[in-house]
Amino acid sequence: MVAFGKKLKDRQIEEWQGYYINYKLMKKRVRQYAQQIQLGTLDRRHVLKDFSRMLDNQIETIVLFLLEQQGLLASRIAKLGEVHNDLQQEPEINKIMQLREAYRAVGQDLLNLLYFVEINAIGLRKILKKFDKRLGYRFTDYYVKTRANHPYSQLQQVFKHVGIGAVVGALSRNLHDLQDRQGSYLSIYDHPSLPLQDPVVDSINAAVDRLSNSTNFLNFLAQHALILQDDLPTPSEEHVDDERYHFMSLLLNLANTFLYMVNTYIIVPTADDYSTSLGAAPTVCGIVIGAMAVAQLFSSVYFSAWSNKSYFRPLVFSSIALFLGNVFYACAYDVHSIWILLIGRLFCGLGSARAVNRRYISDCVPLKIRMQASAGFVSASALGMACGPALAGILQTNFKIYNLTFNQNTLPGWVMAVAWLVYLVWLWISFKEPSHDVEENHTPPNQSNDVENGALEKGLKQPLLITSDDTVDEDIDQDYDDSEEAPEESRLPANSIGSAYRLLTPSVKVQLLIYFMLKYVMEILLSESSVVTTYYFNWSTSTVAVFLACLGLTVLPVNLVVGNYISNMFEDRQILLTSEIMVFIGVLLSFHVIFPYSEPQYICSGLLVFVSAEVLEGVNLSLLSRVMSSRLSRGTYNGGLLSTEAGTIARVIADATITLAGFLGQSRLLNVTSLPSLFISVLSIIATCNTFNSLY
């Protein structure tokens, strides 16, 4: 495994060597600064001034070369345009083919230029963080803020890359004109919804997206999946992705995600009635709902390990386990056994294949559509969460077939059992197991985890501003400042939950605490909704189902607003803290203290808690996907598994809290379960404030 300096050298185009960031020289200078300050021979102001000037010179060299190359590309396109005009008068097939290839050659050179900008952006970001770590300054934040928006700043040229956009537009238009349109007189501008399908242009657009500093809904939503990326993709890696990709298998993977979330939440409106019908207290619904989460604590680990060798077999096992679990759940009514009910829910939890769903997208979906697939994973989860309670509200009937009862309590089990059986047949017929040999044979040996996901996905500006919450790769890298070569063990994926946890920085641990808090608060709200609303307002199952479905339907619109607007107006840490405070206020408003408890109070407080938690989850996971160690991007104990375990533990504790609080009586359930939510929300706010104060 090689460090960034070696990787930068290997990636350089020989003719452009003098124009790349001199990472080795700057790294050496940082080391000298640290030694001189320690000896007292250099003061802080001189260091900041000297290093700022050095960075400015480096960036100016990069940007001026970038502008020069853009001019050369524009000149080549202009000359090709003259040939193009001549061909329109006297079209010849051979010359048209040659002109097309000439345009594509320009596209390949533009792609090299984009990689040039990208690798320099990563080098700049890394040297700034190395400076902060070695000298103990907060120089990165100052440097970017003073240079990013200044009218004479060279750094701004890298952010906006307007000239590159113009070159991409010219290439796309001319290639479109050269396509065989079968007599059509329409131009590319007449069909903006049908973009040009050309591999070169697709690659250029993907590279431009990685350099873009804007936040959009699709990108924001995709990051919630916590499907981390471990390196700048090489052509061989992209080729491997294309070989392993199979659209129907991806669709089946997303269908598994959707059905599992439906299965999780379809019983929430009726769990208390089902428990009562079996002779248990209504609050036992906490154990019934939480049993699935308990089993998921273990299933997430073995499914993640299983996906190292196969994707088809874990999905088959998942479908069978969920089919059996739902059959047990439905049959518990007729055998009148709460234990059969719990066993059914445990089986459902043992079939939780979300680790496989994430891993399949990470390993088998090409990079150019991985963001869309990740967004699809999150959307499928959100829709499943909304559809589950809605479906429970529809299943309001009562009849018998032989000795089997079909009513609002058992129908969710029977319906989901049939759904999983159909899914299993579809899976068996249509799923294509990707070749693991291809991955082993083609994976490049020097996948340096120093090139982190944040710089590639969010461009230059955002990663530079995220100085506080960066990955452990930088912490590891500082131990090897004097060498371009790092030990291979420091680059390998974590081999246990403990080693994965040790890779987390303090700020990432705080973010996992926030994730734990929001999952706890949401689980309390959802799981006890049926018991609380029945006790205070005498709501029917259908009314509870409508309420929960409406909450679930807010997920995508809320993320749309945050991803497209709020994230572009405010910093992530501001949204994070504000959302935590709003969750706290929502929990506070949910208490029943003096005045009679009313439906508007419950609905408003529940909506405030849920929406604020959704905003918080979106921003928190979006930030986590950019700052978590890239060593957690692959392997059994990856970042997605850690976040899943944190959220699952929160759900287990929340459901146990509901059942334990039930021993105090239903009249005290609301307040008793809200107290831990209030405490944890306050704890997360304090932890967030402390983290920001220490890092900013």
Side-chain angles (χ1 to χ4, degrees):
M1 300 293 177
V2 293
F4 176 75
K6 182 67 165 62
K7 190 175 189 66
L8 174 61
K9 185 177 179 181
D10 293 341
R11 288 288 183 91
Q12 289 182 4
I13 297 174
E14 189 173 351
E15 295 80 6
W16 297 357
Q17 278 188 359
Y19 303 101
Y20 287 90
I21 185 171
N22 197 333
Y23 182 77
K24 187 174 182 180
L25 173 64
M26 298 180 78
K27 185 174 168 182
K28 182 179 179 181
R29 187 66 61 87
V30 169
R31 195 160 53 243
Q32 290 173 350
Y33 288 148
Q35 293 170 353
Q36 289 172 335
I37 288 177
Q38 189 175 9
L39 295 173
T41 59
L42 206 61
D43 65 3
R44 180 177 179 271
R45 292 194 176 199
H46 179 81
V47 168
L48 295 178
K49 182 179 179 181
D50 189 58
F51 193 64
S52 296
R53 186 188 298 114
M54 188 176 184
L55 276 176
D56 290 339
N57 291 336
Q58 292 277 320
I59 292 170
E60 185 173 275
T61 301
I62 294 166
V63 170
L64 292 178
F65 178 75
L66 172 65
L67 295 174
E68 178 188 355
Q69 292 300 311
Q70 286 179 13
L72 293 174
L73 291 174
S75 177
R76 288 170 62 186
I77 291 176
K79 290 178 181 178
L80 292 174
E82 296 174 3
V83 178
H84 193 174
N85 290 332
D86 294 338
L87 282 176
Q88 286 181 333
Q89 305 298 325
E90 298 179 8
E92 294 182 25
I93 298 298
N94 290 336
K95 290 185 177 181
I96 289 175
M97 294 296 293
Q98 291 174 3
L99 184 59
R100 219 194 232 163
E101 291 306 313
Y103 275 121
R104 284 178 177 150
V106 174
Q108 288 291 348
D109 290 341
L110 176 59
L111 197 55
N112 289 334
L113 190 61
L114 288 169
Y115 285 145
F116 167 83
V117 177
E118 192 168 18
I119 199 73
N120 279 296
I122 296 170
L124 175 63
R125 169 178 159 271
K126 289 177 69 65
I127 200 64
L128 280 167
K129 290 195 297 179
K130 189 174 291 296
F131 182 91
D132 285 349
K133 288 177 181 294
R134 288 298 299 266
L135 278 71
Y137 298 154
R138 300 177 198 169
F139 178 71
T140 302
D141 197 40
Y142 153 77
Y143 187 82
V144 175
K145 283 184 177 179
T146 54
R147 267 67 172 177
N149 296 313
H150 195 281
Y152 304 131
S153 171
Q154 302 286 356
L155 197 60
Q156 196 172 15
Q157 297 294 326
V158 181
F159 294 161
K160 297 193 173 180
H161 47 78
V162 177
I164 290 177
V167 176
V168 174
L171 278 173
S172 300
R173 185 185 67 80
N174 283 285
L175 282 170
H176 182 274
D177 286 345
L178 290 170
Q179 284 183 337
D180 180 11
R181 299 190 302 280
Q182 298 180 347
S184 172
Y185 292 94
L186 299 177
S187 73
I188 192 173
Y189 303 107
D190 296 313
H191 292 287
S193 61
L194 298 174
L196 172 67
Q197 299 297 319
D198 190 279
V200 173
V201 176
D202 288 344
S203 298
I204 292 171
N205 287 331
V208 171
D209 286 343
R210 290 199 297 269
L211 283 171
S212 175
N213 67 322
S214 62
T215 302
N216 58 60
F217 171 57
L218 189 62
N219 198 352
F220 180 79
L221 191 67
Q223 289 172 326
H224 301 4
L226 266 186
I227 296 170
L228 307 180
Q229 202 170 293
D230 58 356
D231 205 354
L232 185 68
T234 63
S236 60
E237 287 173 307
E238 293 182 352
H239 176 65
V240 169
D241 282 339
D242 289 337
E243 284 186 0
R244 308 184 78 205
Y245 175 61
H246 183 238
F247 173 75
M248 187 56 70
S249 299
L250 174 61
L251 192 62
L252 282 160
N253 190 62
L254 296 179
N256 183 280
T257 300
F258 171 76
L259 287 176
Y260 182 77
M261 292 304 290
V262 172
N263 211 143
T264 301
Y265 289 99
I266 194 173
I267 72 155
V268 172
T270 58
D272 59 332
D273 288 340
Y274 205 167
S275 301
T276 304
S277 69
L278 298 180
T283 51
V284 173
C285 69
I287 292 180
V288 174
I289 296 170
M292 195 168 178
V294 171
Q296 190 180 348
L297 284 172
F298 304 98
S299 66
S300 296
V301 178
Y302 68 71
F303 270 118
S304 184
W306 202 349
S307 62
N308 290 325
K309 298 180 179 180
S310 174
Y311 301 100
F312 175 69
R313 288 192 291 273
L315 289 176
V316 169
F317 177 82
S318 167
S319 305
I320 294 172
L322 282 154
F323 169 76
L324 293 175
N326 282 290
V327 170
F328 276 115
Y329 182 86
C331 290
Y333 187 88
D334 291 304
V335 299
H336 199 73
S337 171
I338 190 70
W339 294 108
I340 297 295
L341 187 72
L342 293 175
I343 289 171
R345 289 297 286 177
L346 285 171
F347 265 94
C348 289
L350 292 174
S352 171
R354 288 176 68 81
V356 180
N357 303 146
R358 278 193 177 98
R359 187 74 176 274
Y360 183 86
I361 295 173
S362 175
D363 292 352
C364 303
V365 175
L367 185 64
K368 59 187 176 185
I369 62 167
R370 194 171 298 163
M371 182 177 70
Q372 291 91 327
S374 300
F377 173 83
V378 178
S379 300
S381 299
L383 290 174
M385 182 180 180
C387 287
L391 190 58
I394 296 172
L395 302 175
Q396 300 297 304
T397 186
N398 194 344
F399 60 92
K400 269 199 167 191
I401 298 179
Y402 297 108
N403 293 324
L404 296 177
T405 303
F406 297 86
N407 57 24
Q408 66 172 13
N409 296 325
T410 62
L411 274 172
W414 290 120
V415 168
M416 292 312 302
V418 172
W420 284 112
L421 189 59
V422 172
Y423 175 80
L424 181 60
V425 174
W426 182 24
L427 180 74
W428 196 272
I429 295 172
S430 303
F431 191 87
K432 179 183 177 183
E433 178 75 87
S435 172
H436 289 261
D437 294 335
V438 172
E439 182 182 27
E440 291 171 6
N441 294 337
H442 289 82
T443 300
N446 55 340
Q447 287 185 342
S448 170
N449 286 318
D450 281 321
V451 185
E452 299 163 5
N453 181 56
L456 307 184
E457 295 298 328
K458 301 301 289 180
L460 177 59
K461 182 175 180 180
Q462 238 173 346
L464 286 174
L465 291 177
I466 305 173
T467 58
S468 60
D469 301 309
D470 218 326
T471 70
V472 178
D473 290 345
E474 290 294 337
D475 294 325
I476 295 170
D477 187 49
Q478 70 178 344
D479 294 332
Y480 303 102
D481 280 338
D482 299 323
S483 174
E484 290 295 338
E485 200 78 25
E488 186 169 344
E489 304 84 49
S490 67
R491 312 294 177 184
L492 296 175
N495 55 13
S496 68
I497 285 285
S499 60
Y501 181 79
R502 286 192 292 273
L503 287 173
L504 304 179
T505 60
S507 57
V508 174
K509 291 177 182 177
V510 169
Q511 287 175 268
L512 287 177
L513 171 64
I514 294 171
Y515 189 66
F516 175 92
M517 179 273 290
L518 67 90
K519 284 298 182 184
Y520 181 91
V521 171
M522 289 174 69
E523 188 71 8
I524 288 288
L525 171 66
L526 298 175
S527 295
E528 72 177 12
S529 59
S530 184
V531 180
V532 170
T533 55
T534 301
Y535 178 79
Y536 285 104
F537 319 126
N538 200 29
W539 280 7
S540 65
T541 299
S542 298
T543 307
V544 177
V546 170
F547 173 68
L548 294 177
C550 289
L551 288 181
L553 287 173
T554 63
V555 173
L556 292 180
V558 165
N559 280 292
L560 177 65
V561 173
V562 176
N564 275 345
Y565 303 105
I566 297 178
S567 289
N568 288 323
M569 294 186 289
F570 302 98
E571 294 181 17
D572 283 348
R573 54 177 174 157
Q574 294 174 320
I575 304 173
L576 202 71
L577 188 57
T578 302
S579 302
E580 288 180 86
I581 294 171
M582 295 306 293
V583 170
F584 168 77
I585 294 172
V587 173
L588 200 62
L589 291 175
S590 68
F591 278 88
H592 178 208
V593 185
I594 300 174
F595 302 103
Y597 203 59
S598 63
E599 292 183 10
Q601 180 184 352
Y602 177 77
I603 293 172
C604 291
S605 63
L607 191 62
L608 181 60
V609 167
F610 191 85
V611 171
S612 300
E614 277 300 323
V615 174
L616 182 59
E617 180 174 7
V619 177
N620 191 52
L621 290 183
S622 178
L623 187 57
L624 262 176
S625 69
R626 299 198 301 268
V627 303
M628 191 173 279
S629 171
S630 58
R631 287 182 62 189
L632 298 174
S633 62
R634 290 185 181 271
T636 301
Y637 304 96
N638 51 63
L641 177 64
L642 288 182
S643 63
T644 299
E645 292 293 275
T648 305
I649 291 171
R651 290 172 53 206
V652 170
I653 296 175
D655 291 324
T657 303
I658 293 171
T659 300
L660 292 175
F663 289 106
L664 301 176
Q666 291 187 50
S667 60
R668 298 181 182 179
L669 176 67
L670 181 65
N671 288 345
V672 171
T673 54
S674 296
L675 277 174
S677 299
L678 195 69
F679 172 76
I680 298 173
S681 62
V682 171
L683 184 64
S684 72
I685 291 172
I686 294 172
T688 303
C689 291
N690 288 340
T691 303
F692 287 160
N693 289 336
S694 63
L695 294 170
Y696 289 88

